[in-house]
Amino acid sequence: ADFDAKKKRKVAEINQALSSDPIDVAALRRMAISEGGLLTDEIRCKVWPKLLSVNTDNLPPPPGKELREDNKDYQQVLLDVRRSLRRFPPGMPDDQREGLQEELIDIILHVLKRNPQLHYYQGYHDIVVTFLLVVGDRLATALVEKLSTHHLRDFMDPTMDNTKHILNYLMPIIDQVNPEVHDFMQSAEVGTIFALSWLITWFGHVLSDFRHVVRLYDFFLACHPLMPIYFAAVIVLHRQQEVLECECDMASVHHLLSQIPQDLPYESLISKAGDLFVQFPPSELAKEAAQQQAERTAASTFKDFELASVQQRPDTVLRQRFRLRGEERLRGEERTKSILTKPRTNRFVKLAVMGLTVALGAAALAVVKSALEWAPKFELQIFP
């Protein structure tokens, strides 16, 4: 009964945010991030376009036959889509699935044709099929195009340089929370390639339960483009005992981490990923993670994304949420303090900053954590 009441209350809050003038995008982000996400596909059809600033009154027309003619990506897309059987609901009639696969091909080719600067990569179809199954082909086309020119932009370059750049954030995040796990993984020389398919498919390729996939999509759409790498980090940290008990060699650790558990505590991990983003924002980790000038990556040019106001920034929503949770923790939760404690000198500075943040709220956060601004310009150093 309590769950039903909370669900009804959340649905009412979402509808209120959608009906306000202007639409309360910040509230929709909070709903997408908070426990349970957006609850149903019917709600997602309404909210996902708002999170991506997509005008649903001006959707692309149905594709014509010319879309597939002389298209350099057609054969590769066709092969990948034919291999995508497991991404469709079990028991779906063959003719229905085959029809959706044809629509999937057309969506991908449409986006690529309209945006010649984008390059197809294997795994892209895993993201597109999620949108297709939730919102249908025409709306999916518009959402995927916006997503591809923003959140996914770095994966769609001619080379993998920017994708590697994003993967290079993984180890610094782990190091901030658990240096023992970080050092163990460094000793094993496992690298970050085990997380590549997680990142470039937004976990769509590696999770078998579609409910978990769309829950993560709610979260990622409401947040900064780098949030998937924070989520990858909390998965590794969640499995820290398994990692430390593993043989300290590349093959063993890679095999362990590449086999992602299907029974993860998703809501807890989503919450922790949001917290880590606020505590250790990308700008703080940039010098360690960077491989190239920050201006070239979607993670740093995201300020250009069409958000209606400062209050609707995804990081602002996360920061407000984290501040409220921090105030709750002050009333008795010492667990977080132990998690954040790291036996290195700079941790004392970090704890002092976090203390100011909790005590003084968003104003202190804005002053003390000025690095949280969207596009800081650093002299970047290559992370080995």
Side-chain angles (χ1 to χ4, degrees):
D2 183 54
F3 173 78
D4 289 340
K6 286 173 65 176
K7 184 176 179 180
K8 287 181 180 178
R9 186 162 58 248
K10 189 169 193 178
V11 170
E13 290 174 359
I14 292 171
N15 287 331
Q16 182 179 357
L18 285 168
S19 60
S20 65
D21 188 14
I23 290 171
D24 191 346
V25 178
L28 296 177
R29 292 192 188 282
R30 287 196 298 273
M31 297 300 104
I33 292 168
S34 63
E35 185 177 359
L38 296 175
L39 302 173
T40 70
D41 287 353
E42 182 182 2
I43 294 175
R44 291 182 178 101
C45 288
K46 300 175 183 177
V47 175
W48 282 4
K50 307 308 177 187
L51 298 180
L52 287 173
S53 298
V54 167
N55 181 5
T56 56
D57 295 328
N58 187 26
L59 296 178
K65 292 182 179 180
E66 72 282 354
L67 192 59
R68 303 189 184 194
E69 295 174 358
D70 300 321
N71 191 301
K72 64 182 177 62
D73 297 300
Y74 175 64
Q75 288 302 323
Q76 185 60 58
V77 172
L78 180 64
L79 288 172
D80 289 345
V81 169
R82 283 177 175 171
R83 290 194 292 257
S84 66
L85 295 182
R86 59 179 292 274
R87 292 304 318 280
F88 293 89
M92 175 179 282
D94 288 347
D95 57 346
Q96 184 182 357
R97 174 185 49 75
E98 289 166 3
L100 288 169
Q101 286 178 307
E102 293 300 312
E103 292 175 357
L104 179 57
I105 293 170
D106 286 337
I107 293 170
I108 294 171
L109 295 181
H110 173 89
V111 172
L112 295 174
K113 184 174 182 178
R114 279 176 48 90
N115 300 274
Q117 78 278 14
L118 301 179
H119 294 75
Y120 177 77
Y121 65 88
Q122 289 182 283
Y124 181 67
H125 71 287
D126 282 298
I127 289 182
V128 180
V129 72
T130 302
F131 283 89
L132 173 61
L133 291 173
V134 172
V135 304
D137 59 335
R138 292 189 65 202
L139 181 52
T141 303
L143 297 182
V144 168
E145 181 169 9
K146 178 59 72 73
L147 196 73
S148 301
T149 54
H150 291 84
H151 292 68
L152 306 180
R153 178 65 184 83
D154 297 325
F155 308 146
M156 306 190 75
D157 275 349
T159 71
M160 288 190 65
D161 287 347
N162 282 345
T163 302
K164 293 175 184 175
H165 165 78
I166 295 173
L167 279 169
N168 279 341
Y169 279 83
L170 181 66
M171 295 304 291
I173 297 168
I174 293 171
D175 189 32
Q176 291 288 346
V177 180
N178 193 324
E180 183 182 7
V181 171
H182 169 271
D183 294 347
F184 180 90
M185 292 175 66
Q186 292 288 73
S187 296
E189 299 182 342
V190 68
T192 57
I193 198 68
F194 66 87
L196 177 62
S197 64
W198 305 357
L199 183 67
I200 65 174
T201 69
W202 277 13
F203 297 84
H205 183 72
V206 293
L207 298 181
S208 58
D209 192 325
F210 192 71
R211 294 172 303 168
H212 297 152
V213 175
V214 293
R215 172 65 187 103
L216 286 181
Y217 278 42
D218 292 342
F219 180 48
F220 295 155
L221 287 171
C223 294
H224 188 281
L226 279 181
M227 189 56 76
I229 204 67
Y230 282 80
F231 192 78
V234 298
I235 290 178
V236 175
L237 292 165
H238 174 70
R239 306 181 69 194
Q240 59 190 27
Q241 198 61 43
E242 293 177 78
V243 172
L244 295 173
E245 291 174 356
C246 188
E247 291 292 327
C248 189
D249 63 76
M250 188 273 287
S252 299
V253 180
H254 177 85
H255 177 74
L256 171 71
L257 290 175
S258 60
Q259 305 298 311
I260 190 169
Q262 297 297 312
D263 59 347
L264 293 169
Y266 291 94
E267 293 301 335
S268 172
L269 297 184
I270 285 170
S271 179
K272 289 176 182 176
D275 289 351
L276 288 182
F277 180 88
V278 176
Q279 295 163 29
F280 314 112
S283 53
E284 279 192 13
L285 307 175
K287 287 187 178 181
E288 296 178 75
Q291 290 187 319
Q292 56 203 342
Q293 289 299 316
E295 287 83 356
R296 293 187 59 193
T297 65
S300 61
T301 59
F302 196 62
K303 65 176 183 177
D304 296 327
F305 196 45
E306 300 93 327
L307 299 176
S309 71
V310 171
Q311 286 72 31
Q312 292 174 5
R313 286 178 174 176
D315 62 335
T316 303
V317 173
L318 284 170
R319 286 154 64 185
Q320 292 170 343
R321 172 182 167 278
F322 180 76
R323 176 171 57 83
L324 292 173
R325 292 185 56 191
E327 291 168 355
E328 292 174 1
R329 287 170 181 151
L330 277 181
R331 293 193 289 267
E333 288 192 11
E334 292 297 323
R335 176 182 57 83
T336 301
K337 186 175 180 181
S338 65
I339 292 174
L340 292 178
T341 303
K342 178 181 174 183
R344 297 184 183 179
T345 305
N346 66 357
R347 303 306 292 160
F348 294 105
V349 177
K350 174 65 69 176
L351 288 172
V353 170
M354 295 308 296
L356 277 174
T357 299
V358 172
L360 302 180
L365 188 60
V367 174
V368 181
K369 283 180 160 266
S370 58
L372 265 177
E373 291 303 318
W374 271 125
K377 295 184 179 180
F378 288 99
E379 282 297 322
L380 299 174
Q381 298 175 353
I382 293 177
F383 180 67

